[in-house]
Amino acid sequence: MGQKMWRKWGIMLMEILLLLMSGGVTAKTCGVISIESHTVQLGSPLFASCAVGKQVCPGLNLDAQVIWKLDQNIIPSKDHTDVHQNMSSIYFRSFNKTSAALSCHFRMDQGIQLMDRVEINAGYPPAKPTNLTCHLNLTDERLVCNWQLGSNPLIKTNATLSIAETNKNCTPYEGKKYTCVPRPGETSCAIPRTQYHLYKKHAVWITAQNELGRVISSYLCLTPMNYVKLDPPVIKEAAPLLSHPGCVRIQTKKSETGSFIEQWYQLRYRKAEENQWTETKPIMKDSDELEYCNLSPATRYHFQIRCIRIFMKGYWSEWGSDTSLLTSESAPTGKVKTWWRVLEATGDGPTQIQLLWKALKKEEANSENPWYIVGIRLEPYWNGNVVCNTTFLNCSFHLPHEATGAYLWVYNTAGHSPRMEIDFRDRKIPGMPVSWIHVLPNTDNSLAVEWRLQTMAKSYVLEWRKSSQNLESDFKWKTEPEGSSTSILQDIEPFQQYTVWVYPVYENQVGSPVQVNAYSRQGVPEIAPKLTLISVTKSSAQLSWEPVPLERRHGFIKNYTVFWTDSDRRTLSVTLNSNLTRFVIRNLQPLGMYTVLLSCSTSEGSVNGSVLMIYTTLLDEMEIHVLIMVLCMSSVMIVIGSSFICLGKHKGVKNKFWQVVPDPANSSMGKWRPVCHETPKMSLNIREMITSDLTILEGWPEKKPPSTDVTKCTPVSFEHKPQCSTDDAGVQRPYINVADTVQYAKVITGYFGQSPTSTSHLRSNSTQPLLSNTSPSPQTYENMWFHSNNEEDSIFLIEDENLSNFPLLQALKIQEDGDIFSF
């Protein structure tokens, strides 16, 4: 066998050589690769040769080496054979590449020279097509066929659909077939209405072909009308049956293209929260109204419907559009899980109770929004004292002393559930608590709770809420059955502290709760406390701070650290327990400036607060008090000493600081009287006679009295009587008012019988002016009578009793006193 094959290849090579020598090699190439086929079956042997033309390659060395390459890889020389100097051959026992480039090269002085190159593809013959199906679409009246190709041939393969009328044995008639070529990559083809008959038998087949072979599928014999695929019907209306909870009535309408064809239907449905559809059995009647039951009450369902030609001829249509509805309600049937807790208990008043319950499952409540009624039970009978009628899952109310329990029922539009009793007497004597409890992080949004089993416990109740919430706020709870020792709490927020309680529930009592605080995940605190300076001395400073709010701690506070730095940048620190809120920094320098910083830490890190500046004092508080006392005592001593000195020199000091101002009202001049017409009666003393002359000092500006009714007086002297002349005897005598400060009198004294040789002035120390122009407001010694005459500046004295209101005028009054004139 091998010798024959080599002989065959030898003859072929000789023919190629003769062809080359006869001019078969063109001037444009020096070599040619010969190969049986450019497409081979994957894994089959492959033979190729490369012939060189010396005529067109005169510079080619006869001893040049032939090099073969597959793609970019050089094939070892042991795998190919040089037939003679002008030809080389190569043989592949199994070609296992789906696509490759085979090239022939010669090694020359200038390097490796490419002679020729060919592309080789490998694959398989086409596999027999399968799953050939066809259906008639009444919308466009085309017969659409689909199929599946076999295994991938790895090379280009064409498929052709053929249809022809057949005899009874499904043998196609010759020359009466129609072929349809699908688009590249598709495995379906549509035959137009003109190429088939609705009620005649036809044969349909698929032909697959490539460079390695050709294959035909099995024949499909069909009558097109029996392979019809109708358009889906339309659901006109869907409604629940109120008289039959769990049943629905659906009205349908056929498609226009299939309205003349009798049809059967099939229904499928699913719950709104589910994705899986449930198909019903085919409804074998041609009717436009369908009923279906076995559905859950008060549940929203989605429905779809499809159809097929009667007697199941042809194919089911596609599912129609989606329609949803809510089935009617029925009376609740489930039992509610309840739990209660005491919110406030007083000795005299009623106890405030909070009753809680879990929502019934939908299939138990038989309603989307059930209502709950809570009433108080009074022994020995039930009464109608309803305290809550709500859709919420809790009820808070005050329990009277005579009440022993409560009742609860669930109701909807269709009815109510059996009444459930809650006994409040099972906690009057608390039972044994669980011996220990551990709460650990499970995930970022859940906690794992573990506790030790109690032998007599029938179940366990777990409560949990954020620790930052108050006790009356909403909290979550759940129950675990008997024998459980672990539970997972869901919907936990990371970085928030939660408080967890565990209650063991016994036959007729509830155990005392045990609580634990926990985090599902801890982090760095959001803020640090703010430092407040309480007091500072020359060597210490007392600080305080408020704890970080729970919702901003983000974990358990492990410790606080206080840092303080002096003006020389020396830093000291101290770490404090997390339960402390005050600290005293000691050993500070007087009159020093310090920077204080507080840091709080959790297991995940720490955060620094704001900086506080502290300035120490020079003295302590006690030293300041002592200094103040010394200064006060010194001041007291100085005042006391000064007082003694002042008392010793009372008159000199008094005259130095407070000069004596005589009071004109107390002067003897208040006894003087003005002399007019009458000559005063004078008595002469034999021993000594003092005479006086009272005159107005010269040079004083004098205001002229009114032109009428003026009395003129001359000064009084010892030798002459005072004389007064009047133009009218009934006119009052005016006193002259001056504006400047004047002395009150000039007194002339002398001895009897002698003329006065000198004039002495009696000076008053008062700076009070004599009667002058009236001021806008009267002084303490003035009378409003002066202000009554706006046209005259003179003052008229009508009666002597009027002088009592004017002490200064009384001082000028001259009166007779005994034997002598007195002032």
Side-chain angles (χ1 to χ4, degrees):
M1 183 68 180
Q3 293 180 355
K4 291 182 179 180
M5 186 179 64
W6 280 108
R7 185 178 300 170
K8 178 178 180 182
W9 285 109
I11 294 172
M12 184 185 65
L13 292 175
M14 291 300 294
E15 291 176 350
I16 294 174
L17 180 59
L18 293 174
L19 179 61
L20 293 174
M21 294 177 63
S22 62
V25 179
T26 64
K28 296 182 180 180
T29 181
C30 293
V32 175
I33 295 179
S34 299
I35 193 171
E36 290 181 339
S37 175
H38 289 275
T39 302
V40 297
Q41 189 168 345
L42 190 65
S44 63
L46 176 64
F47 180 82
S49 62
C50 179
V52 181
K54 294 287 186 179
Q55 298 84 350
V56 295
C57 294
L60 183 63
N61 189 353
L62 296 178
D63 297 330
Q65 182 183 1
V66 178
I67 298 175
W68 288 89
K69 285 186 178 182
L70 190 62
D71 290 334
Q72 299 299 325
N73 301 320
I74 298 177
I75 300 174
S77 58
K78 64 179 182 177
D79 294 335
H80 58 84
T81 304
D82 293 335
V83 179
H84 49 76
Q85 294 178 350
N86 295 337
M87 180 175 290
S88 177
S89 64
I90 187 170
Y91 178 74
F92 297 93
R93 295 182 180 274
S94 176
F95 193 82
N96 54 11
K97 286 194 172 186
T98 57
S99 179
L102 183 64
S103 58
C104 174
H105 304 261
F106 273 81
R107 190 182 298 276
M108 304 178 66
D109 295 338
Q110 296 83 0
I112 297 177
Q113 179 66 41
L114 175 63
M115 297 301 166
D116 197 7
R117 179 178 177 178
V118 295
E119 294 288 337
I120 301 175
N121 296 317
Y124 300 101
K128 184 178 180 179
T130 57
N131 294 335
L132 175 60
T133 59
C134 297
H135 67 272
L136 176 61
N137 190 341
L138 293 180
T139 303
D140 53 12
E141 295 185 338
R142 294 186 305 166
L143 186 64
V144 181
C145 298
N146 299 273
W147 64 90
Q148 291 181 353
L149 294 175
S151 58
N152 187 7
L154 303 178
I155 57 176
K156 183 179 179 181
T157 301
N158 297 322
T160 303
L161 172 68
S162 301
I163 183 171
E165 293 184 10
T166 65
N167 55 20
K168 294 181 180 181
N169 298 325
C170 200
T171 301
Y173 294 125
E174 295 292 336
K176 293 184 179 181
K177 72 175 182 178
Y178 171 79
T179 59
C180 177
V181 179
R183 295 177 181 177
E186 293 185 357
T187 58
S188 65
C189 204
I191 303 172
R193 176 67 180 84
T194 57
Q195 302 299 324
Y196 66 90
H197 195 281
L198 288 176
Y199 296 98
K200 288 186 178 181
K201 186 177 289 188
H202 295 75
V204 181
W205 66 94
I206 303 296
T207 301
Q209 184 175 0
N210 60 21
E211 294 186 13
L212 298 180
R214 178 175 177 270
V215 66
I216 298 176
S217 67
S218 300
Y219 290 124
L220 174 63
C221 294
L222 58 84
T223 300
M225 198 58 190
N226 292 336
Y227 284 80
V228 65
K229 185 176 182 179
L230 301 173
D231 292 331
V234 178
I235 298 178
K236 292 175 57 179
E237 184 181 358
L241 293 177
L242 299 180
S243 58
H244 298 82
C247 295
V248 296
R249 178 181 289 113
I250 298 175
Q251 293 183 358
T252 64
K253 179 182 179 181
K254 296 179 181 179
S255 63
E256 295 182 1
T257 56
S259 59
F260 62 93
I261 299 176
E262 292 185 285
Q263 303 171 12
W264 287 352
Y265 301 96
Q266 186 179 26
L267 192 69
R268 73 173 183 178
Y269 60 90
R270 65 175 177 86
K271 293 181 179 180
E273 62 274 11
E274 297 177 354
N275 296 323
Q276 185 67 35
W277 291 90
T278 301
E279 296 182 359
T280 65
K281 294 181 179 181
I283 301 172
M284 298 179 182
K285 63 177 182 178
D286 188 9
S287 175
D288 58 357
E289 186 172 288
L290 308 175
E291 289 186 4
Y292 185 76
C293 295
N294 299 326
L295 301 175
S296 299
T299 305
R300 183 162 295 279
Y301 285 92
H302 292 263
F303 295 92
Q304 288 181 337
I305 194 170
R306 64 178 181 176
C307 63
I308 192 173
R309 191 180 175 193
I310 60 171
F311 305 115
M312 308 293 288
K313 293 180 179 180
Y315 298 95
W316 284 103
S317 67
E318 299 295 332
W319 291 102
S321 59
D322 190 301
T323 300
S324 66
L325 61 83
L326 183 67
T327 57
S328 59
E329 296 180 348
S330 63
T333 57
K335 184 178 180 181
V336 180
K337 293 181 180 180
T338 60
W339 178 247
W340 63 274
R341 63 202 313 264
V342 177
L343 295 181
E344 183 180 359
T346 57
D348 300 332
T351 302
Q352 187 176 6
I353 298 293
Q354 186 179 31
L355 181 64
L356 305 103
W357 55 88
K358 292 292 184 181
L360 288 175
K361 297 179 181 179
K362 240 180 184 180
E363 56 269 19
E364 296 175 342
N366 297 329
S367 175
E368 279 196 334
N369 298 302
W371 286 74
Y372 301 89
I373 293 180
V374 179
I376 297 177
R377 184 181 67 187
L378 299 175
E379 293 291 351
Y381 305 106
W382 291 87
N383 69 354
N385 187 13
V386 175
V387 293
C388 286
N389 187 0
T390 178
T391 58
F392 296 108
L393 301 178
N394 61 80
C395 174
S396 298
F397 54 92
H398 289 86
L399 188 69
H401 288 295
E402 62 273 14
T404 59
Y407 59 87
L408 170 70
W409 69 54
V410 189
Y411 74 96
N412 56 27
T413 57
H416 61 82
S417 66
R419 185 173 58 192
M420 290 168 290
E421 299 183 12
I422 300 98
D423 193 353
F424 294 146
R425 294 172 295 184
D426 56 0
R427 297 194 197 178
K428 290 187 176 180
I429 303 177
M432 291 295 296
V434 294
S435 56
W436 59 264
I437 175 177
H438 292 300
V439 181
L440 303 172
N442 185 52
T443 64
D444 287 352
N445 300 104
S446 63
L447 291 171
V449 185
E450 299 179 359
W451 63 89
R452 178 168 292 175
L453 288 174
Q454 298 297 111
T455 55
M456 302 298 292
K458 299 300 180 180
S459 63
Y460 299 90
V461 176
L462 287 83
E463 296 179 352
W464 69 96
R465 62 170 173 81
K466 289 183 181 180
S467 302
S468 58
Q469 296 174 340
N470 53 33
L471 293 176
E472 288 75 17
S473 63
D474 291 337
F475 60 92
K476 298 181 180 180
W477 66 281
K478 65 183 298 188
T479 59
E480 295 293 346
E482 180 181 1
S484 299
S485 61
T486 60
S487 181
I488 303 297
L489 309 182
Q490 302 290 346
D491 300 328
I492 302 296
E493 294 183 22
F495 311 120
Q496 294 296 318
Q497 179 177 308
Y498 282 80
T499 303
V500 181
W501 293 267
V502 176
Y503 297 80
V505 180
Y506 301 98
E507 183 69 31
N508 295 316
Q509 61 180 173
V510 177
S512 300
V514 178
Q515 73 177 57
V516 175
N517 296 327
Y519 285 87
S520 63
R521 181 183 177 184
Q522 298 190 57
V524 179
E526 183 177 344
I527 59 172
K530 182 180 179 181
L531 282 173
T532 301
L533 180 63
I534 298 179
S535 63
V536 61
T537 65
K538 69 177 183 179
S539 62
S540 65
Q542 186 177 9
L543 307 173
S544 70
W545 59 89
E546 293 293 333
V548 180
L550 276 174
E551 62 272 13
R552 307 183 74 177
R553 292 182 186 178
H554 295 179
F556 293 110
I557 301 298
K558 296 176 60 179
N559 55 64
Y560 295 104
T561 304
V562 180
F563 301 89
W564 64 94
T565 304
D566 59 13
S567 56
D568 297 331
R569 297 185 179 276
R570 291 177 298 183
T571 302
L572 297 175
S573 65
V574 62
T575 301
L576 307 174
N577 293 331
S578 60
N579 58 347
L580 296 179
T581 58
R582 289 196 176 193
F583 178 68
V584 178
I585 304 177
R586 304 186 185 276
N587 301 324
L588 302 180
Q589 297 297 323
L591 289 180
M593 181 182 70
Y594 291 87
T595 302
V596 184
L597 179 68
L598 179 65
S599 171
C600 66
S601 304
T602 64
S603 60
E604 298 298 323
S606 60
V607 63
N608 296 331
S610 57
V611 176
L612 178 66
M613 302 299 295
I614 295 177
Y615 299 90
T616 55
T617 60
L618 178 62
L619 301 174
D620 285 338
E621 185 177 357
M622 183 60 68
E623 295 174 343
I624 294 174
H625 290 168
V626 172
L627 180 60
I628 292 175
M629 290 178 62
V630 171
L631 293 176
C632 291
M633 293 179 65
S634 301
S635 301
V636 171
M637 296 299 294
I638 292 172
V639 171
I640 293 174
S642 301
S643 300
F644 279 113
I645 294 172
C646 292
L647 291 175
K649 297 182 179 181
H650 173 67
K651 294 183 178 180
V653 174
K654 182 178 180 182
N655 293 332
K656 182 69 175 177
F657 294 98
W658 300 281
Q659 297 181 1
V660 177
V661 179
D663 186 359
N666 299 324
S667 174
S668 61
M669 289 188 294
K671 300 178 181 181
W672 292 1
R673 295 180 180 176
V675 180
C676 182
H677 298 294
E678 295 182 1
T679 301
K681 296 178 181 181
M682 294 183 293
S683 298
L684 297 178
N685 194 327
I686 300 175
R687 296 184 217 177
E688 184 179 24
M689 184 67 182
I690 300 175
T691 61
S692 299
D693 188 7
L694 177 62
T695 61
I696 302 301
L697 293 179
E698 296 178 359
W700 286 0
E702 180 178 343
K703 292 186 179 181
K704 294 180 178 182
S707 58
T708 59
D709 302 334
V710 176
T711 301
K712 296 181 181 179
C713 295
T714 59
V716 177
S717 68
F718 176 77
E719 298 177 342
H720 303 279
K721 295 180 180 180
Q723 297 178 0
C724 297
S725 62
T726 59
D727 296 337
D728 188 351
V731 178
Q732 295 90 356
R733 302 179 302 276
Y735 287 90
I736 297 174
N737 234 353
V738 294
D740 298 328
T741 301
V742 298
Q743 303 302 322
Y744 285 127
K746 181 178 71 172
V747 180
I748 303 173
T749 62
Y751 292 100
F752 177 75
Q754 296 179 358
S755 299
T757 58
S758 64
T759 301
S760 298
H761 296 274
L762 179 62
R763 178 179 296 274
S764 173
N765 292 327
S766 175
T767 59
Q768 181 175 357
L770 289 175
L771 297 176
S772 181
N773 290 334
T774 57
S775 59
S777 59
Q779 302 299 324
T780 56
Y781 52 82
E782 292 180 338
N783 192 288
M784 286 301 296
W785 183 86
F786 287 103
H787 299 274
S788 63
N789 191 348
N790 296 328
E791 296 180 355
E792 300 294 340
D793 291 333
S794 299
I795 299 174
F796 299 94
L797 300 178
I798 301 176
E799 299 294 339
D800 290 344
E801 56 266 26
N802 293 333
L803 295 178
S804 62
N805 297 327
F806 304 95
L808 296 181
L809 295 179
Q810 285 182 352
L812 299 178
K813 181 179 179 182
I814 301 175
Q815 66 181 8
E816 184 179 354
D817 184 13
D819 295 335
I820 61 173
F821 286 100
S822 62
F823 295 90

